[in-house]
Amino acid sequence: MDWKGRDVISIRDFSKEDIEFVLKVAERLEEELNEKGSLDYARGKILATLFFEPSTRTRLSFESAMHRLGGSVIGFSSASSTSVKKGESLADTIKTVEQYSNVIVIRHPMEGAARLAAEVAEIPVINAGDGSNQHPTQTLLDLYTIKKAFGKIDGLTIGLLGDLKYGRTVHSLAEALAFYDVELYLISPELLRMPKHIVDELRERGVKVHETTDLEGAIPELDVLYVTRIQRERFPDEEEYLKVKGSYQVNIGVLKNAKETLKVMHPLPRVDEIHPEVDKTKHALYFRQVFSGVPVRMALLGLTLGVLEV
Amino acid sequence: MPENLKIEVIPEGTVIDHIPAGKWLKVIEILGLTKPNGGTLLIASNVPSKKLGRKDIVKVEGRYLSEEEVNKIALIAPMATVNIVKDYKIIEKFNVEVPDEITGILKCPNPNCVSNHEYVTPRFHVESRDPLKLRCHYCERTIEGEDIMGSL
Ligand SMILES: [Zn+2]
């Protein structure tokens, strides 16, 4: 696989080999970083972060990754500060910005914006979230976190909890997990079940899927519990939201029947889905998960720039 | 009445056969024939058919179809056959076929899709043919059934 110049737009564009390769490179970079403190693979290279809608955490994660690779960063963090406000087309913005940079990371409120940007740009484009469509680097860092914690993904039993209907991260994570020999517990309120076409696809691809509303019943089976927030803004009507808000809270009580080795993950930010008392337990993996974003994004930046020896 | 007799009613033009019953209006909409244009338009609706049970047939005098029109018809009538008639004879006959990729025919029904906001040709990939299911190249949402008809 030739990674130089490749775009990272959708987890659907990835094969299992691609995923494994990124995880392997990320692991190598993390080790190198621990040894040397900083790296210089991307010296002289510039990353442009085009955040047409704010997402401070994702932007900081990419910026940190580029700096740790020895490169530098330019960009903007809201469309209102750019000529987009004056009505410039996305294509023109991209064609302009690519004159200043070697790789582009884009976050945009419209679905498909990253794909369009990639078609316009000669340099690689990485999708940092396009509306409610894709956020592939989140999925890769989730997989990386699981792999680092267990040394493997195959053979694990993974629970996805919360908003499985509207949650973008759990959809692409589930699709990526289907490459592995895993068992999935889909735990959600009735109203927020995983869309049927995704469940069908998982089953067709050989994943053993259990759908349930019962978190406490499922918990003893799990190696990983992936918690998501129930996001008010995704609901078509407030009443539907009020019915399910606060359906689940992961706290010490809920975790008492869990395996010793259960790891709790969350894409963050959390509101009240995970009680802060869980932070101090050996189950908490969510801050480590945030850290994983850096080596995974370093790997993607380095590979698409073609600066890593692979 | 044997089927070929029904077809040979027009001296020259196009006969679109094996349209699912009730879909003839959609076909003439695609062809822009809902307004009078001079040529004869013959419609047979709810005709018994071995292949479909019931079918519609649309006959358009003095008019041939572009590739884009044939592709559009394939989306609503995947079993349709197109017959080209000259001097009351069928000189060419072919089945419509849904192409692997559909470009510029359908508009994405997702209001938040970039293809509805920027200068870009809408594009869809065919996920399955029976039943027809398409995936937007940009927003990756899938559309099927009535949503496809509504987006033509
Ligand atoms: Zn679309």
Side-chain angles (χ1 to χ4, degrees):
Chain A
M1 179 81 232
D2 192 5
W3 277 84
K4 188 178 177 176
R6 188 174 173 182
D7 304 306
V8 179
I9 304 303
S10 166
I11 203 73
R12 306 171 56 84
D13 301 337
F14 280 71
S15 67
K16 181 175 182 180
E17 289 65 39
D18 291 335
I19 291 173
E20 291 282 291
F21 182 67
V22 173
L23 303 189
K24 214 176 69 199
V25 172
E27 191 158 16
R28 198 193 85 194
L29 288 172
E30 187 180 337
E31 282 161 18
E32 259 182 78
L33 197 59
N34 285 340
E35 248 168 62
K36 298 181 192 159
S38 69
L39 306 176
D40 63 356
Y41 290 110
R43 180 177 299 168
K45 301 289 184 190
I46 297 174
L47 160 67
T49 56
L50 310 187
F51 278 59
F52 291 85
E53 66 176 10
S55 174
T56 309
R57 290 153 194 269
T58 305
R59 187 169 52 83
L60 291 178
S61 176
F62 271 107
E63 289 188 0
S64 171
M66 190 59 175
H67 286 305
R68 293 212 190 276
L69 270 183
S72 46
V73 183
I74 58 170
F76 57 80
S77 56
S78 88
S80 61
S81 62
T82 71
S83 43
V84 174
K85 207 173 66 179
K86 300 172 195 153
E88 186 182 52
S89 72
L90 177 59
D92 282 6
T93 305
I94 298 294
K95 281 183 200 151
T96 305
V97 167
E98 73 173 331
Q99 311 303 320
Y100 307 139
S101 54
N102 304 98
V103 56
I104 289 174
V105 169
I106 180 174
R107 170 121 179 170
H108 199 285
M110 278 175 208
E111 285 109 58
R115 180 78 68 193
L116 177 60
E119 285 174 351
V120 171
E122 307 273 335
I123 62 174
V125 172
I126 298 175
N127 186 3
D130 59 332
S132 59
N133 182 31
Q134 285 276 332
H135 191 9
T137 63
Q138 176 72 45
T139 302
L140 290 164
L141 79 86
D142 290 341
L143 296 172
Y144 181 73
T145 309
I146 297 172
K147 195 157 187 188
K148 286 293 276 186
F150 293 88
K152 60 171 187 176
I153 297 174
D154 285 318
L156 298 178
T157 299
I158 298 169
L160 305 177
L161 174 72
D163 178 3
L164 307 186
K165 182 176 178 186
Y166 300 110
R168 168 180 68 189
T169 50
V170 280
H171 294 172
S172 44
L173 179 58
E175 281 173 28
L177 284 170
F179 283 125
Y180 296 89
D181 174 25
V182 292
E183 197 166 330
L184 291 184
Y185 280 79
L186 306 177
I187 313 153
S188 71
E190 273 300 325
L191 277 170
L192 296 178
R193 282 170 75 157
M194 182 74 87
K196 186 175 174 298
H197 71 271
I198 299 182
V199 178
D200 290 347
E201 192 195 330
L202 292 171
R203 291 206 166 109
E204 272 164 37
R205 290 172 65 184
V207 180
K208 196 163 175 208
V209 181
H210 312 266
E211 289 186 277
T212 176
T213 57
D214 177 15
L215 171 62
E216 305 212 6
I219 232 163
E221 309 300 323
L222 304 178
D223 297 304
V224 175
L225 176 62
Y226 193 101
V227 186
T228 65
R229 189 157 54 96
I230 296 179
Q231 298 176 74
R232 178 187 299 233
E233 63 272 20
R234 304 245 191 226
F235 282 80
D237 76 85
E238 182 79 6
E239 226 168 277
E240 198 187 339
Y241 170 72
L242 291 173
K243 274 187 226 155
V244 293
K245 134 182 199 271
S247 298
Y248 299 102
Q249 195 198 41
V250 178
N251 53 36
I252 300 279
V254 170
L255 292 172
K256 72 176 187 297
N257 294 319
K259 288 184 192 172
E260 282 278 292
T261 51
L262 170 79
K263 296 294 180 199
V264 178
M265 294 172 68
H266 190 300
L268 300 183
R270 64 176 154 177
V271 182
D272 53 7
E273 314 82 46
I274 304 177
H275 195 281
E277 68 196 3
V278 178
D279 297 4
K280 294 182 293 268
T281 69
K282 55 195 174 309
H283 300 300
L285 193 62
Y286 27 93
F287 293 115
R288 166 67 221 191
Q289 190 181 352
V290 173
F291 171 75
S292 294
V294 176
V296 167
R297 289 172 173 129
M298 286 171 76
L300 292 168
L301 290 167
L303 287 168
T304 59
L305 283 167
V307 296
L308 299 178
E309 296 130 36
V310 290
Chain B
M1 188 163 54
E3 288 209 357
N4 58 347
L5 277 184
K6 283 184 208 145
I7 286 164
E8 283 167 324
V9 179
I10 55 171
E12 61 180 321
T14 308
V15 173
I16 305 149
D17 197 359
H18 301 110
I19 300 163
K23 298 272 195 270
W24 64 269
L25 181 60
K26 208 73 204 171
V27 170
I28 66 164
E29 269 174 21
I30 288 169
L31 300 179
L33 298 172
T34 42
K35 291 179 202 116
N37 73 336
T40 306
L41 182 62
L42 295 168
I43 292 142
S45 189
N46 225 24
V47 178
S49 155
K50 276 191 222 105
K51 213 150 96 181
L52 299 175
R54 293 275 169 180
K55 68 175 181 180
D56 291 353
I57 307 170
V58 168
K59 300 161 228 185
V60 196
E61 192 183 340
R63 172 88 146 68
Y64 303 97
L65 309 188
S66 70
E67 195 184 331
E68 191 186 314
E69 287 170 335
V70 172
N71 288 342
K72 277 193 193 180
I73 289 169
L75 296 179
I76 57 153
M79 307 285 278
T81 45
V82 176
N83 303 272
I84 296 169
V85 180
K86 279 221 166 100
D87 291 332
Y88 295 96
K89 283 196 199 78
I90 294 169
I91 59 157
E92 201 190 327
K93 180 177 181 148
F94 58 89
N95 298 317
V96 299
E97 214 178 307
V98 177
D100 293 335
E101 203 181 289
I102 292 148
T103 311
I105 296 176
L106 293 168
K107 210 171 124 347
C108 182
N110 172 7
N112 201 36
C113 177
V114 74
S115 69
N116 290 316
H117 298 270
E118 295 278 333
Y119 180 71
V120 50
T121 310
R123 245 169 101 185
F124 292 85
H125 305 282
V126 176
E127 288 268 300
S128 92
R129 287 192 156 73
D130 189 20
L132 187 60
K133 187 170 158 191
L134 311 174
R135 188 183 293 279
C136 175
H137 173 72
Y138 291 98
C139 71
E140 305 188 17
R141 298 233 187 139
T142 56
I143 52 171
E144 38 198 321
E146 290 299 314
D147 284 341
I148 294 176
M149 305 270 278
S151 305
L152 275 166

